Amino acid sequence: MNKTIQELEQYIGEKQPCIVCKEAKFTQYAEEDYFQALKCDECGMISVNPHYTEEGLDKFYSSYYENRSVDNELSELRKIMYAEDRDWIHKFINKGKVLDIGCSDGSFLNFFDENLWDRHGIDLTDDALKIAKERGIETHQGKIWDTDVGDGYDLVMMRGVIEHFRDPALALKKCSEILKPGGVLFITATPAGNSFAFNVYRHKWKLFTPYEHIHFFTVDLLSKLLDDMNLELLARHYQYEETPYANHEKDFAQIIGDIEKIKLSGGLDDVGLSPPFPGSMLTAAWKKTL
Ligand SMILES: [Zn+2]
């Protein structure tokens, strides 16, 4: 456990009921450091529970942008994914007023043509937002559920973001409120709770980083929350083939070998971290009906 994570243990909050169905019967799914992921017996939602209080999360994220931007190789690969994500959502909507929630320095919004889009972004960090502003993006600072970002949006996006929120329903509700009728909510690059690789690897699944990834949704569970907010599912997709990480032969060979090892030893001690695998990340879009 690294030092920062250790120091944050005092900010662990109370155990919560399921964020989708509100029931409170769970089965343990994965465990790492002082965190445990629980799967709801009723609806199947997986969340790290309990997790940090809002205050603990603020402390954790105060150094997030700095840590993330130093990894240059990762950010080159991420650019390929930014273009993939933009091309996918452009099949449903290709101009108008857009808000990127958790926009960081505007790297993703930068892939949206400024002549076609009125580009808005919201994030917490000064340094990141300064760069976004220099890129011609209208910036808002704060948390989406208690910040005025205007309304009348044609597109609201969360890319690799919703799994970090303590209360995602608050964020989703705000998305619904600021979208125009006919507008589109786009959620992508979020770890999928019904992922085969997660089921095999549990705490050794690469996307199980419980200090930052709190909630592991499925498209159906998101739709269940969004039904009550006048948002209906348009389409879903699981990126793999088109990513720079995909390698069918290698990834399938590794998972088959690891399943054998798990069967032999009865545990995960003999396997390393999971490979990229189809179904690990979800992408989906919903349309505002009213
Ligand atoms: Zn539930």
Side-chain angles (χ1 to χ4, degrees), residues 55-212:
E55 191 192 2
L57 283 175
D58 290 345
K59 290 212 184 295
F60 178 77
Y61 284 111
S62 53
S63 58
Y64 191 67
Y65 177 69
E66 205 181 326
N67 292 340
R68 182 160 162 151
S69 12
V70 290
D71 197 340
N72 285 322
E73 196 193 344
L74 187 68
S75 56
E76 276 310 305
L77 292 177
R78 199 178 276 135
K79 279 182 194 163
I80 299 173
M81 295 317 303
Y82 288 157
E84 288 291 343
D85 275 322
R86 178 209 48 206
D87 293 347
W88 191 82
I89 198 62
H90 270 44
K91 293 189 284 186
F92 305 99
I93 188 158
N94 57 21
K95 61 176 190 294
K97 185 176 178 185
V98 57
L99 175 70
D100 186 17
I101 299 172
C103 68
S104 185
D105 59 11
S107 303
F108 182 40
L109 272 176
N110 215 26
F111 281 74
F112 288 72
D113 186 342
E114 59 185 325
N115 298 310
L116 298 173
W117 291 98
D118 172 15
R119 304 176 305 171
H120 293 247
I122 175 168
D123 211 297
L124 295 173
T125 328
D126 275 334
D127 293 351
L129 286 174
K130 198 169 151 252
I131 298 170
K133 203 175 266 179
E134 285 163 13
R135 288 171 155 155
I137 292 160
E138 189 77 40
T139 59
H140 308 266
Q141 188 167 13
K143 294 173 179 170
I144 183 61
W145 49 88
D146 57 18
T147 304
D148 180 11
V149 292
D151 56 13
Y153 284 95
D154 298 281
L155 175 62
V156 173
M157 323 192 280
M158 287 190 268
R159 187 184 186 287
V161 165
I162 192 160
E163 67 276 16
H164 297 252
F165 293 149
R166 194 176 154 77
D167 188 351
L170 271 183
L172 293 171
K173 193 162 168 281
K174 180 68 175 269
C175 292
S176 171
E177 286 165 10
I178 60 177
L179 275 167
K180 276 182 190 165
V184 174
L185 171 66
F186 178 35
I187 295 177
T188 187
T190 186
N194 54 352
S195 148
F196 178 71
F198 191 12
N199 195 13
V200 171
Y201 288 91
R202 306 296 175 113
H203 69 278
K204 289 200 170 165
W205 189 42
K206 234 178 211 160
L207 298 168
F208 184 65
T209 49
Y211 37 93
E212 53 174 356

Side-chain angles (χ1 to χ4, degrees), residues 18-23 26 40-45:
C18 172
I19 56 161
V20 178
C21 73
K22 311 291 177 208
E23 293 294 325
F26 305 101
C40 173
D41 290 346
E42 183 65 29
C43 74
M45 180 68 201

Side-chain angles (χ1 to χ4, degrees), residues 219-220 223 226-227 231-236 283-287:
V219 175
D220 290 346
S223 293
L226 292 167
D227 266 355
L231 283 152
E232 98 186 358
L233 185 66
L234 275 175
R236 68 179 90 196
T283 293
W286 292 261
K287 188 178 183 169

